[in-house]
Amino acid sequence: MTDNQKCITYFFTECRIVLRFGHTISIIMQHLTLFELNELIKAALSEKLEPSYWVIAEIGELRMAQKGHCYLELVDKVEQSNDIVAKSRANIWSYAYRNISGWFEAVTGRQLQVGMRILANVQVQFHSLYGMSLNIRDIDPNYTLGERQRQRQATIERLKSDGVFEMNKALTIPLVPQRVVVISSAGAAGYGDFMNHIEGNEYGYQLNIELCNSLMQGNDAANSIIATLHQINNRYKNYDAVVIIRGGGAQVDLDCFDNYDLCTHLAQMPLPVITGIGHERDETIADMVAHTKMKTPTAVADFLIGRFVAYETKMMDNLHFISRVADRMIGNQTQQLSLYEKSIGLQGKSKLKSAALELENLQELVKRSCKQQLKDKFQFLLHREKELKFVDPDFLFEKGYSFTTINGIPLHKARQINHGDEMNTIGKEFAIVSKIIKAEKRDE
Amino acid sequence: MNKEENLDHLSYEEAILELQSIAEEIEEEEISIDALEGKVKRSLALIRYCKERLRGTEKAIRDIFEEE
C-alpha cells in the first residue's frame, strides 16, 4: 500500500469507520492498540480452543536452533499433489524434542525430516509479537510408520498392476558379468569398498567397471539416479549388468529407493540390476524389483567374482574330465597295441620255432633216407654181385661145369644132335674138341 | 593358427557349450583316436582363451600394442 492509500479496518461492535486517501475523519470511537488486539485474539483462542489437538500435517521445513529447540513449518497438501492448502509455523522445545525425536527414531528408524507426514499433538499459541504458532508436545511415530508402510504398499501394488514388478528378474545375468556399470557416489565408502574387493580379488580376474556418479541420498537422489539410468539405457549394449551401491551407516536415508518413479525405471531396465544398498533392516522397493539384491557393496563384489569362479571351475572340471577320458582311451589303445605286439611276437616266435623244428626233422629225414637208400642200393649191388658170381663161368668151371656147343650152337639151344657132330667143351683147364658118338633126348 | 582366430568371437557361453559338447562326445566314445588329438587341442585352446579373457590379459596386451 502506498502512503496515500491507507486502509484500516476497525471492527467495533457498535460502529465502523473507514479512513481513506489521507482524509481523516476523527470520530470519538472505541479503539485498541495493536497489542491490546493481539491480547484479545489470544484470549479468544484460549477460550474457544481445546488445550491441544492431534493434527496430521507434513513437515515443510525443519531446523534446529540454539539450545536444542526445533522450529518447523507444517503444511497441508492436497493428496498426491504439491498444492498447499494450509501452512503453520511450529516448534518443539528442546526438552520435549529430545524425547520425541528419540522415540520417533526408535520406532520408525528414521529421524524427523522434511517431507514426512506426522501425527502431532499441538497446542495453539498466539504470541503478540510472533503471531500464531503451534507448539508440538508429542508426535505419534506409529502414524508416520503406518503412513510410510501404506505409501510403500501402494507403490508396490502400482508397480505390480503396471506389470513391471517382475520384469528385471526375468532377465538373465550373463555367465561372466565382465562389463559392469556402477551407479554410486564417487567418494562414498561403499564404492571404495566395492572397488577394493573387485580389484583385489585373489584370482586375478579383471572386470571392466564404469562408474556413473549420482546422488545417493537426499531429496534429489531419486531424480539423479533416474537420470543415470536413462544414460545407461542409451548404451545398454556396452554392459552386462548394472550395480547400484551405497555405503551403509548408522542411519541411512533409503526413501529414494521406495520412490515409484525410480523403481519403475529400474524394473524396466534392459540390463539386470544388482543392488547393494547397505542396510540392515527392511528391503526397499528397489531391492524387490531388482534382479538380485545383496546386503552390502562388498557382497555385490563377491557375488560378481563368484560368477567368474563358478565359470572357471566348470571349465576346468570339463577339461579335467576330457583329459581323464582321453588318457584312459589312449591307455586302452596302448594296452591293446602292446597285447597285439606281444601276441604277434609270441605267435611269430612259435611259428619260427615250429618251422625250424620242421626243417630239422626234414633234414633228419632226408639224412636217414639217404643213408637207407644208399644202404639198400649197396645191399642190392652186393646181392647182385653175389648172384653174378654164380653165373660167372670161372666160378662154374671151378665147380667142374663146362660150356658145350654143338656145331657152334650152344648145347641148350641145339635141336638135333647127330652122330659125328662136332662138340666143343670148355672147362676149367681144357678146351676139348670131340665128336658125338650118341645123343639121346632126355624125356622126364 | 586358424583355430585361434576363431576364438576371438566366442562368448563365454559359446566357449563353455563347446567344451561341454567335446566332453560328451569323448564320454560316449564317439571319437576315434585320430580325432582325439584335435579335440584335446581344441579344449586346451578354449581354456587358455577363457582364462586370458577372465583376467583381461588378452585385452591388456592388446591395449599395450594399441598404445604403441
Side-chain angles (χ1 to χ4, degrees):
Chain A
M1 284 205 252
T2 65
D3 281 349
N4 284 335
Q5 245 182 354
K6 287 192 184 171
C7 188
I8 304 166
T9 308
Y10 282 96
F11 186 72
F12 281 99
T13 51
E14 276 129 24
C15 69
R16 216 166 124 202
I17 298 176
V18 175
L19 292 166
R20 325 156 79 174
F21 297 110
H23 299 295
T24 315
I25 307 168
S26 62
I27 299 176
I28 312 290
M29 290 271 151
Q30 239 184 319
H31 64 270
L32 297 174
T33 64
L34 187 57
F35 180 79
E36 286 165 340
L37 178 62
N38 277 354
E39 290 297 303
L40 207 68
I41 297 174
K42 195 165 160 188
L45 288 175
S46 186
E47 189 189 306
K48 286 283 180 202
L49 297 176
E50 301 293 331
S52 67
Y53 293 92
W54 281 99
V55 166
I56 295 175
E58 184 178 313
I59 299 177
E61 282 171 24
L62 186 152
R63 65 178 175 89
M64 299 305 298
Q66 292 174 345
K67 300 176 189 168
H69 301 312
C70 178
Y71 296 97
L72 313 89
E73 188 179 81
L74 296 178
V75 295
D76 198 0
K77 286 180 180 168
V78 173
E79 182 85 21
Q80 298 263 358
S81 86
N82 281 335
D83 299 339
I84 299 177
V85 293
K87 203 193 299 193
S88 182
R89 284 177 307 167
N91 56 61
I92 313 176
W93 301 132
S94 64
Y95 67 87
Y97 182 76
R98 276 194 294 275
N99 295 335
I100 292 173
S101 72
W103 178 237
F104 188 86
E105 212 171 301
V107 173
T108 65
R110 294 153 67 236
Q111 283 181 336
L112 285 166
Q113 54 188 242
V114 172
M116 274 184 178
R117 281 167 66 80
I118 55 172
L119 177 63
N121 187 256
V122 303
Q123 184 186 44
V124 178
Q125 291 170 323
F126 188 86
H127 195 280
S128 191
L129 273 176
Y130 305 117
M132 200 189 86
S133 69
L134 304 174
N135 175 241
I136 299 177
R137 297 152 76 205
D138 198 6
I139 297 179
D140 180 5
N142 290 303
Y143 171 80
T144 310
L145 196 64
E147 255 305 290
R148 190 163 138 68
Q149 280 303 102
R150 191 188 62 78
Q151 258 175 28
R152 268 170 56 103
Q153 267 315 112
T155 306
I156 293 173
E157 288 310 316
R158 202 173 150 199
L159 289 166
K160 282 188 175 162
S161 70
D162 286 348
V164 304
F165 198 80
E166 303 290 334
M167 268 180 84
N168 203 256
K169 291 196 201 21
L171 301 173
T172 40
I173 302 182
L175 273 186
V176 178
Q178 200 162 27
R179 307 168 302 164
V180 175
V181 58
V182 173
I183 303 179
S184 187
S185 169
Y191 177 66
D193 290 339
F194 175 81
M195 287 309 285
N196 285 340
H197 264 240
I198 295 278
E199 284 169 352
N201 81 83
E202 57 181 306
Y203 308 94
Y205 294 135
Q206 184 101 5
L207 283 85
N208 301 335
I209 310 281
E210 184 181 320
L211 171 68
C212 276
N213 210 2
S214 164
L215 294 172
M216 300 303 284
Q217 59 190 56
N219 291 333
D220 295 321
N223 288 332
S224 180
I225 296 174
I226 291 170
T228 315
L229 287 172
H230 273 304
Q231 284 173 36
I232 294 171
N233 187 43
N234 286 338
R235 42 180 212 268
Y236 78 93
K237 292 204 170 132
N238 294 350
Y239 311 112
D240 295 320
V242 179
V243 162
I244 303 183
I245 50 173
R246 51 161 296 169
Q251 201 45 58
V252 291
D253 167 15
L254 298 170
D255 283 350
C256 57
F257 296 107
D258 285 334
N259 177 278
Y260 171 80
D261 284 324
L262 189 152
C263 292
T264 192
H265 278 93
L266 201 159
Q268 294 177 72
M269 282 298 282
L271 292 168
V273 179
I274 307 167
T275 56
I277 301 178
H279 53 87
E280 295 305 318
R281 295 164 45 125
D282 323 292
E283 250 184 334
T284 62
I285 302 182
D287 286 324
M288 292 181 206
V289 294
H291 183 285
T292 305
K293 77 162 203 276
M294 307 300 296
K295 280 206 167 216
T296 62
T298 49
V300 175
D302 291 341
F303 170 77
L304 293 172
I305 298 289
R307 303 281 289 204
F308 278 64
V309 175
Y311 181 81
E312 191 166 36
T313 305
K314 204 162 167 197
M315 289 293 269
M316 293 312 289
D317 284 348
N318 274 312
L319 184 70
H320 289 139
F321 177 77
I322 290 171
S323 168
R324 274 202 314 274
V325 177
D327 271 349
R328 199 182 64 218
M329 275 178 81
I330 292 175
N332 283 349
Q333 284 289 315
T334 309
Q335 223 175 37
Q336 278 266 358
L337 284 172
S338 175
L339 282 171
Y340 280 137
E341 192 183 27
K342 282 211 180 87
S343 146
I344 290 172
L346 280 170
Q347 283 185 32
K349 275 198 191 138
S350 86
K351 273 225 156 61
L352 276 174
K353 221 169 169 180
S354 61
L357 209 67
E358 219 180 295
L359 205 65
E360 236 182 83
N361 288 346
L362 268 171
Q363 210 176 2
E364 276 303 308
L365 202 69
V366 167
K367 242 160 104 181
R368 276 203 310 273
S369 227
C370 282
K371 266 192 187 155
Q372 193 65 33
Q373 286 261 326
L374 283 170
K375 210 168 164 187
D376 287 349
K377 290 287 187 251
F378 193 71
Q379 287 287 347
F380 178 74
L381 284 173
L382 216 63
H383 197 69
R384 277 318 221 188
E385 198 183 32
K386 274 207 175 117
E387 275 184 3
L388 277 174
K389 199 157 107 182
F390 287 114
V391 300
D392 185 11
D394 287 332
F395 179 71
L396 286 169
F397 289 162
E398 283 291 321
K399 292 266 185 248
Y401 293 97
S402 59
F403 182 67
T404 311
T405 57
I406 312 284
N407 297 331
I409 301 168
L411 180 59
H412 65 294
K413 284 194 176 153
R415 293 284 137 244
Q416 180 135 21
I417 302 174
N418 298 321
H419 174 84
D421 282 340
E422 188 173 283
M423 186 170 80
N424 277 343
T425 308
I426 306 173
K428 183 175 172 195
E429 275 194 49
F430 297 105
I432 308 170
V433 178
S434 50
K435 284 234 172 94
I436 301 286
I437 303 176
K438 189 168 97 181
E440 280 175 3
K441 278 217 180 138
R442 290 172 68 199
D443 290 319
E444 307 299 324
Chain B
M1 249 210 281
N2 220 10
K3 278 221 162 137
E4 297 291 327
E5 286 161 23
N6 287 350
L7 290 179
D8 259 3
H9 307 293
L10 277 184
S11 69
Y12 286 112
E13 277 83 356
E14 287 164 342
I16 199 164
L17 280 172
E18 191 176 340
L19 202 61
Q20 278 171 333
S21 92
I22 293 178
E24 271 169 37
E25 273 182 63
I26 287 199
E27 187 180 25
E28 303 294 315
E29 301 201 24
E30 288 167 18
I31 298 194
S32 69
I33 290 283
D34 297 311
L36 190 65
E37 182 189 345
K39 292 288 174 180
V40 172
K41 275 205 174 125
R42 177 71 175 170
S43 328
L44 289 170
L46 284 167
I47 293 280
R48 188 168 62 242
Y49 167 72
C50 285
K51 281 189 176 226
E52 282 176 6
R53 253 189 84 177
L54 287 173
R55 289 167 177 81
T57 320
E58 194 184 85
K59 178 175 181 295
I61 292 173
R62 219 184 296 142
D63 286 348
I64 292 173
F65 281 117
E66 265 164 39
E67 270 179 55
E68 294 288 321

